Coordinates of all heavy atoms in Angstrom, one line a residue:
N54 N -53.3 102.4 -221.9 CA -54.4 102.0 -222.8 C -55.4 103.1 -223.0 O -55.8 103.7 -222.1 CB -55.0 100.7 -222.3 CG -54.1 99.5 -222.1 OD1 -53.2 99.4 -222.9 ND2 -54.3 98.8 -221.1
V69 N -53.6 106.8 -218.4 CA -52.7 105.8 -217.8 C -53.5 105.1 -216.7 O -54.4 105.6 -216.1 CB -51.5 106.5 -217.1 CG1 -50.6 107.2 -218.2 CG2 -51.9 107.6 -216.1
P113 N -64.7 102.2 -207.1 CA -64.0 103.3 -207.8 C -64.7 104.6 -207.5 O -66.0 104.6 -207.4 CB -64.1 102.9 -209.3 CG -65.3 101.9 -209.3 CD -65.3 101.2 -208.0
T145 N -56.1 116.2 -203.9 CA -55.1 117.1 -204.4 C -54.2 116.4 -205.4 O -53.5 115.4 -205.0 CB -54.2 117.6 -203.2 OG1 -55.1 118.3 -202.2 CG2 -53.2 118.6 -203.7
S196 N -38.5 130.3 -206.0 CA -37.5 131.4 -205.9 C -37.2 131.7 -204.5 O -38.0 131.5 -203.6 CB -38.1 132.7 -206.6 OG -38.5 132.4 -207.9
D210 N -59.6 141.6 -194.1 CA -60.8 141.6 -193.4 C -61.0 140.3 -192.7 O -60.5 139.2 -193.1 CB -62.0 141.8 -194.3 CG -62.0 143.2 -195.0 OD1 -61.5 144.1 -194.3 OD2 -62.6 143.3 -196.1
V228 N -61.1 134.5 -188.5 CA -59.7 134.8 -188.9 C -59.6 135.7 -190.1 O -60.4 135.7 -191.0 CB -58.9 133.5 -189.1 CG1 -59.5 132.8 -190.3 CG2 -57.4 133.7 -189.3
Q236 N -41.3 135.5 -204.0 CA -40.8 135.2 -205.4 C -40.0 136.5 -205.8 O -39.7 137.3 -205.0 CB -42.0 135.0 -206.3 CG -43.1 136.0 -206.3 CD -44.3 135.6 -207.1 OE1 -44.5 134.5 -207.4 NE2 -45.1 136.6 -207.5
I242 N -51.5 138.6 -201.0 CA -52.9 138.3 -201.3 C -53.7 138.4 -200.0 O -53.5 137.6 -199.1 CB -53.0 136.9 -201.9 CG1 -52.1 136.8 -203.2 CG2 -54.5 136.6 -202.3 CD1 -52.1 135.4 -203.8

Side-chain angles (χ1 to χ4, degrees):
N54 299 326
V69 295
T145 302
S196 302
D210 293 333
V228 61
Q236 53 186 20
I242 302 173

